[in-house]
Each structure stands twice: as structure tokens, then as C-alpha cells.
Amino acid sequence: MGAAVLLVGGVVTVQSTGTAEAAASTLRAAAAEAGLFFGAAAGPGKLNSFFSSEFGQLTPENDMKPDAIANANGTLRNTGNADTLVNFAQSNNMVVRGHTMVWYSQAGQLQGANQSTLNTYIGNALTRWGSKIAYWDVVNESLADNNAGTRRSQWPHTLDRDANGDGDYFDATDTDYIRDSFTRAKQVVQQNGLSTKLCINDYDVEGLTVQGGGRNRKSDALYDIVRAYTQGSSKLIDCVGFQSHFNDNPNSIITADLQANIQRFADLGVEVHLSELDIDDDLSNNDIGQGQAENYRKVVRACLNVARCTGITVWGISDSESWRASERGLLFTGSNGNYQKKAAYTAVLEELNKGRGTTTPPSSPPVSSPPVSPSVPPVSPSASASSPPVPAGCSAAVSLNSWNGGFVATVRVTAGSAPINGWTVGLNLPSGATVTSGWNATNTGTSGAVQFSNVSYNGRVAAGQSVEFGFQGTGSAVGATPTCTAS
């Protein structure tokens, strides 16, 4: 069946076309078929039929940043370019991501503003375009560089106060500009009946780990923020942007646990977007052919394998027009509308055309999240007509990403010759190994004999198909052999 990502009353939806289709020939069409958007950042000079044909989503690259449209008192100015972008998107049924409201950089006349002024600006920006903007980056790049795992030291963090000295800003008596900004944004959305989703956006947060296998403390800090402001009585944050500016900085590489980290955030009930994607050619030894293409393939597949990863945005169209032109990190060469597809384009298109997995979707997806399936793509049964029948029940296989002192385990559960309604995987962990966190399963025990059971949305698995869960731990899990029991 065909499908299309549509913007109806400001809400992102997926609509069936009712007909079987051949593989899509554009990124926009292929992504829509898979149940997500694929977009690009641009300014008014890039708007043409090529752009609207190839991309289903638009992020203003610079024209909605505070230095372009904010007055010192929080009112708006010079919105002409932003209006042009939004109007183009509306005319071409494209999703818009507003970028960005509260940011330490490119703040313009808002630099150093107090929270009251920031709240005024947030209200004005939201109501200017209303539900025409499906997603807004309310807070951008709030965390320090170099994997510190802390907030930035400069404004607007200077507005924060840790009232009880416990090292965080989440307590009721604390002052937190992140909480206060999202609170104001949520109030405006609700008071005006908007469908706009509110996002937090940052870079070097993509993997669970960094180069060498150490913990990604910046990602953990972002996770703590999102968890704090989504799991209480008031859900302030609707979506998380992994900027995905991948390069050879030790904290910016593509790690094997990218999918696991996307899933970790998705399990908090938020949408996850790869919001500013480009992949430096340094990660493929300066090869912008198949080497770079394989890197794009891995990143796109990681998103497709997680149901709540609902959008991918590349940060520009062609290498020469990129903010990082020398790194040749985008999908096209050429300029000024005369673009040539790179091997990376073909790889992305192929992955999007493969679609998502076929397991049962979560029982409570986000209201406007496309009704797509979680976990992994279907795995075709290996037995042919002349092969012995695959036994009933289930099997499990584990793969490890290990480093000195820790590991991430990904476990694939495969149903046998008959569908299953639930599963439990047992593992005997080596001495010294301890489970510290997990996703897509509920565990009993953290060391020694440990069991993992399905959660509500991934217990039912069709015959010959697979789902995945994962966990992270300290020590070593080398040699752990899983067993699987079906129910």
C-alpha cells in the first residue's frame, strides 16, 4: 500500500494511497512510504520545484534564529524571509521545523535577556506562525562540549539556580531556564490550540558511547533533562533533535549504538529526529563514493529501526553550499539548482525504500507520530522449501559492542515456524558483569542469571520475523549465550 506524509491542520499524518507502488524515486516519496519525513535546511534562495520534490520537510537554516527576527524586548522583526519559507512549505504540503528560540549563540538582541523577555519571545514566535510550524526547537545546544556532561556556563545557563545544591536544576525550588522556556511554550501551545510539537536539540549526543567506548556523558545529560520533563504530570518536551553532525572528533563519530540511543530516548515517549545531518568525508577516508554512502546507510537505518524516529533533516543540499563545504558531507554536488546525486543519495534512497520493520507498534505512540512499527526490519526465513522446517518457539542471538570496563548488548529474538505472543530471554552473565540500563525489554536481575521479557509492543512476533532489545552494563559480557522461551 502507498502512503504519504501530509500536514493536515499542522499535524503530521500518514495517509494510505490504497495502491501498491514500485520503489519511490525521491527522498520525499520514499520517506513518506516508510512513515517519516525527510527534509533539508534552506534559505529562500533555495526554494524551487527541485526542493519541494526531493524534500518533504523544511528547516529555515538561519532565518528564524533570534539574531534574524528578535527585538531586545522579545517582539519580532524582519520576518519576511521566514514568512517566505513557511508559505512555500504550506504551498507544497511540507512539514516545517522552527529553528530556534533559546540559544546561547546567534541570539542577537536577545543576548543576556531575562526569562520574562525570553517568554515574551517564545510566545510571539509560536503565535506568529501557529500550527504552520509542526516542530519548534525551543532550546538549542544547552550542554557543554568535550563530553563534559554538564550545562554550558554562559547565558542563558546563567539564569539557572541550584537552590538545594544537589547538582541538578530539576527540583521544584530550583530555577531552570530549560524548564521555564518549555513551560511557557507549552502554555502558548495549549492556550492557542496549536498542534506544534516542542523540541530540544543538541549535537554530540547521538551515541550511547564515544570513540574508545567511553560513556557519552553529554547524551546522558540530555537524557536526564528529557526524562525529567516528560515523565511527570506535565509533559513539557515532545521531541528530541540529534543534530547528527558526524565527523572525526572523538565525540562526533558514528557509533554502533546509535540505534540503541535513539531507542532509549524514544522509550521516554518523545519523537526523535536526526535534525541537522551531515557526514564528514573524514569518516570515510575522504571517500565521497561508497565509503560515505555506507555511513549514510547506517545512520538512516538506525532511525528507520526505531518507530518514534519520525524525521531526518540534512543540513543543506549540496557540498559546495554547506556550512561545512570542505567536509563534503551532504547528498549532492553542484550548486544553484544544478545538483548531481552522490552515492550517498542512492544509499539513503535505498534504505528508505526498504522501509521499517513489521513488529507490533507501541500501544501508545505520540498523537501525531506516524503509525509505523518499532524495532528492526523483517528478517526473511533462511529455510527454503527443501530445507528442514524451522522449529516452533524462538531463538535469540546477541551481539556486543565492548570496551574496557563496559559493553552494550543487542539481542535479536526470532520467532520459529509459528508466531509467538511473548518471549523471555535468559542470559548467564560472567562474574563481574552488571546490567545498568536496558530498552525494549523488562529485566529480572542485574547480574549472574538474568532474564529479559518482552514489553507491551514487541511480544507478538510473526513466524520467521525478529525484534530486538538491548542493555548496557559494566564489566564484560563476552561468552554470554542467550536462551529463548516463547509464550
Side-chain angles (χ1 to χ4, degrees):
M1 301 290 285
V5 174
L6 302 176
L7 188 63
V8 181
V11 179
V12 180
T13 62
V14 174
Q15 183 181 82
S16 172
T17 64
T19 59
E21 296 180 357
S25 60
T26 66
L27 301 174
R28 175 175 184 163
E33 185 71 20
L36 72 163
F37 63 74
F38 197 100
K46 304 303 178 187
L47 303 181
N48 52 37
S49 59
F50 162 82
F51 191 91
S52 59
S53 174
E54 201 65 66
F55 302 110
Q57 181 269 334
L58 169 63
T59 300
E61 187 169 10
N62 289 298
D63 294 296
M64 281 187 184
K65 291 175 179 175
D67 64 347
I69 62 170
N71 288 312
N73 62 358
T75 57
L76 301 184
R77 62 184 175 87
N78 298 335
T79 61
N81 283 348
D83 293 338
T84 296
L85 292 164
V86 172
N87 291 339
F88 177 86
Q90 286 278 293
S91 298
N92 290 280
N93 202 30
M94 302 173 74
V95 176
V96 180
R97 182 189 195 92
H99 179 77
T100 179
M101 292 182 181
V102 182
W103 187 24
Y104 77 94
S105 181
Q106 290 185 249
Q109 296 180 31
L110 281 185
Q111 187 71 45
N114 59 28
Q115 189 65 52
S116 176
T117 300
L118 290 177
N119 287 350
T120 298
Y121 175 64
I122 290 167
N124 285 326
L126 276 165
T127 55
R128 169 72 185 184
W129 296 285
S131 296
K132 294 177 182 178
I133 295 186
Y135 302 96
W136 253 113
D137 288 329
V138 177
V139 172
N140 192 48
E141 298 178 3
S142 60
L143 297 169
D145 291 332
N146 301 317
N147 201 26
T150 60
R151 304 275 183 101
R152 291 183 181 273
S153 59
Q154 68 264 57
W155 178 91
H157 178 61
T158 51
L159 300 174
D160 291 343
R161 297 290 182 272
D162 178 10
N164 59 5
D166 63 353
D168 67 47
Y169 302 92
F170 303 141
D171 302 302
T173 56
D174 292 344
T175 301
D176 181 6
Y177 86 91
I178 297 175
R179 175 177 59 200
D180 292 345
S181 297
F182 274 98
T183 297
R184 177 54 184 156
K186 185 66 72 171
Q187 289 171 346
V188 175
V189 165
Q190 292 174 343
Q191 290 168 0
N192 291 274
L194 305 181
S195 58
T196 306
K197 299 288 187 80
L198 306 176
C199 307
I200 190 168
N201 192 52
D202 219 317
Y203 62 91
D204 288 355
V205 296
E206 292 74 22
L208 286 168
T209 57
V210 297
Q211 190 173 44
R215 189 73 190 182
N216 189 337
R217 292 185 293 272
K218 186 172 184 178
S219 187
D220 286 346
L222 180 63
Y223 181 85
D224 288 344
I225 292 168
V226 176
R227 180 175 57 185
Y229 298 141
T230 57
Q231 304 305 297
S233 58
S234 178
K235 180 181 176 182
L236 299 178
I237 298 175
D238 303 309
C239 37
V240 176
F242 287 5
Q243 289 188 11
S244 304
H245 293 299
F246 293 111
N247 58 72
D248 59 355
N249 180 296
N251 304 315
S252 308
I253 64 169
I254 303 168
T255 56
D257 48 35
L258 170 61
Q259 179 183 326
N261 202 32
I262 295 172
Q263 186 68 63
R264 176 173 71 141
F265 279 82
D267 287 345
L268 294 175
V270 296
E271 295 182 44
V272 181
H273 303 146
L274 308 184
S275 57
E276 303 183 18
L277 175 62
D278 47 32
I279 303 180
D280 188 343
D281 63 358
D282 285 346
L283 290 178
S284 52
N285 294 317
N286 299 316
D287 173 17
I288 61 169
Q290 290 305 315
Q292 187 179 59
E294 286 307 305
N295 282 332
Y296 262 100
R297 192 182 298 276
K298 288 187 291 187
V299 170
V300 171
R301 176 48 51 191
C303 176
L304 285 168
N305 283 354
V306 179
R308 287 193 175 104
C309 189
T310 56
I312 301 173
T313 305
V314 287
W315 205 246
I317 302 172
S318 74
D319 292 345
S320 66
E321 297 172 346
S322 169
W323 72 303
R324 287 177 158 175
S326 64
E327 297 176 359
R328 304 186 299 172
L330 293 171
L331 301 179
F332 295 87
T333 58
S335 62
N336 297 320
N338 182 21
Y339 300 119
Q340 296 80 47
K341 298 172 183 176
K342 296 167 61 178
Y345 174 97
T346 303
V348 171
L349 184 64
E350 289 175 353
E351 286 305 310
L352 292 172
N353 273 317
K354 291 176 186 176
R356 298 187 186 258
T358 58
T359 55
T360 305
S363 57
S364 56
V367 173
S368 67
S369 177
V372 291
S373 304
S375 202
V376 297
V379 178
S380 301
S382 58
S384 66
S386 61
S387 301
V390 178
C394 61
S395 60
V398 62
S399 60
L400 293 173
N401 176 26
S402 301
W403 59 91
N404 186 22
F407 63 90
V408 170
T410 301
V411 183
R412 173 168 287 197
V413 177
T414 303
S417 58
I420 60 177
N421 294 317
W423 47 264
T424 299
V425 172
L427 282 160
N428 284 310
L429 296 178
S431 176
T434 302
V435 176
T436 57
S437 62
W439 46 93
N440 286 355
T442 301
N443 64 294
T444 302
T446 58
S447 60
V450 182
Q451 288 191 333
F452 296 87
S453 298
N454 64 273
V455 288
S456 61
Y457 57 80
N458 64 359
R460 298 181 62 185
V461 186
Q465 304 301 302
S466 300
V467 295
E468 283 186 352
F469 71 90
F471 60 95
Q472 182 157 352
T474 57
S476 172
V478 173
T481 302
T483 61
C484 188
T485 303
S487 58

